[in-house]
């Protein structure tokens, strides 16, 4: 009975001893485990819980949260579409606004989208710094959407008379390299540079538009803007 009791107490030690017998290190391995078994067991347990917990989190926490967030943002989007920006931001007492969606479901896809909407609302309401703060936290893999978000940040900085940061974000918006938004925001970067009394940098941006986007409305107007700055063919 004593032997069985010993075996049930330290099965891990016995297994480790067998494993290391091949290298004649059984005693040292056993001693190491005996002295550190609590730490080893905690690490192993943490790994198992963490690995299993990740899938449990996705299935039982994240997925339901995504569904609830989608429901919560729906009415705020309706307020936004109706141009009721204050209600879209703060709700109406019965339905969430974008700020409540962010607060409660910020880690979800709908929470991320709510940051974009909230940023647009703040900018349109003249709350430019709040708009900047929200839009900077928004992320998107869509080049056009991310371009528009960066462009809005640029617009807000211009309203705050911060031409340097406006130019930086207009250039980020233009860097998405698409004919829908890039020439528009690069042109705004050029205009901001002119306002900041940096004509040489503005010329470089206008020439970029002319070369890369000649078939766009902005591209066709670049001769006029360059001529205004003293650049002729």
């Amino acid at each position: 009975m004593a032997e069985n009791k010993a075996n049930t107490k330290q099965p891990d030690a016995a297994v480790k001893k067998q494993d290391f017998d091949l290298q004649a290190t059984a005693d040292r391995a056993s001693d190491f485990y005996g002295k550190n078994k609590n730490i080893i067991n905690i690490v192993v347990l943490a790994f198992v819980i963490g690995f299993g917990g990740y899938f449990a989190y996705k299935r039982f926490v994240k997925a339901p949260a995504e569904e609830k967030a989608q429901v919560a943002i729906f009415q705020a989007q309706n307020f936004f579409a109706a141009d009721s920006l204050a209600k879209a931001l703060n709700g109406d007492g019965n339905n969430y606004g974008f700020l409540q969606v962010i607060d409660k479901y910020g880690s979800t896809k709908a929470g991320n989208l709510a940051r974009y909407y909230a940023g647009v609302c703040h900018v349109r309401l003249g709350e430019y710094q709040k708009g900047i703060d929200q839009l900077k936290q928004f992320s998107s893999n869509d080049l056009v959407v991310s371009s528009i978000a960066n462009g809005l940040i640029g617009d807000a900085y211009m309203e705050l008379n911060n031409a340097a940061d406006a130019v930086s974000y207009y250039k980020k918006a233009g860097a998405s390299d698409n004919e829908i938004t890039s020439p528009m925001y690069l042109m705004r970067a050029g205009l901001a540079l002119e306002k900041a009394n940096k004509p040489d940098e503005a010329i470089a941006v206008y020439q970029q538009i002319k070369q890369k986007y000649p078939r766009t409305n902005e591209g066709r107007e670049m001769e006029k803007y360059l001529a205004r700055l003293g650049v002729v063919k």
Side-chain angles (χ1 to χ4, degrees), residues 3-216:
E3 184 180 353
N4 290 336
K5 186 175 181 181
N7 287 339
T8 56
K9 266 191 170 184
Q10 294 184 328
D12 290 340
V15 171
K16 284 182 175 293
K17 186 172 180 178
Q18 289 177 356
D19 289 343
F20 287 95
D21 273 345
L22 294 174
Q23 299 181 28
T25 56
D27 291 338
R28 282 181 293 167
S30 182
D31 288 344
F32 175 82
Y33 180 78
K35 292 176 181 177
N36 300 280
K37 63 181 178 181
N38 289 337
I39 295 174
I40 292 171
N41 289 340
I42 288 171
V43 170
V44 171
L45 182 62
F47 175 78
V48 172
I49 291 174
F51 189 71
Y54 169 74
F55 292 101
Y57 169 77
K58 285 189 69 176
R59 180 175 179 182
F60 298 111
V61 178
K62 189 172 182 180
E66 289 285 358
E67 292 179 9
K68 290 178 181 178
Q70 291 291 342
V71 172
I73 200 175
F74 178 75
Q75 187 56 50
Q77 290 173 312
N78 286 339
F79 288 140
F80 182 86
D83 214 30
S84 298
L85 301 182
K87 286 183 180 180
L89 269 177
N90 301 299
D92 63 355
N94 296 313
N95 300 284
Y96 280 176
F98 295 124
L99 295 180
Q100 288 90 350
V101 174
I102 293 167
D103 184 58
K104 193 170 181 66
Y105 303 108
S107 62
T108 65
K109 293 178 181 178
N112 180 53
L113 182 60
R115 288 190 175 91
Y116 173 80
Y117 276 114
V120 175
C121 289
H122 281 306
V123 171
R124 288 175 61 185
L125 289 169
E127 299 167 343
Y128 301 116
Q129 189 58 55
K130 289 182 179 179
I132 290 167
D133 293 341
Q134 290 291 355
L135 289 165
K136 281 185 176 181
Q137 295 182 70
F138 168 72
S139 62
S140 174
N141 292 325
D142 186 285
L143 293 179
V144 174
V145 173
S146 62
S147 175
I148 292 171
N150 283 321
L152 281 169
I153 294 173
D155 291 341
Y157 273 126
M158 282 301 291
E159 293 291 344
L160 294 172
N161 294 314
N162 186 341
D165 284 337
V167 169
S168 175
Y169 276 90
Y170 284 145
K171 285 184 175 180
K172 282 185 181 180
S176 62
D177 197 15
N178 69 84
E179 292 194 351
I180 300 172
T181 60
S182 292
M184 175 177 67
Y185 288 122
L186 287 173
M187 185 171 178
R188 292 188 192 184
L191 293 171
L193 285 164
E194 286 193 65
K195 185 176 181 179
N197 197 29
K198 295 182 178 181
D200 291 342
E201 293 183 37
I203 289 169
V205 171
Y206 293 150
Q207 287 176 333
Q208 180 184 355
I209 297 170
K210 179 183 174 182
Q211 292 167 6
K212 292 189 70 174
Y213 308 106
R215 293 176 294 181
T216 64

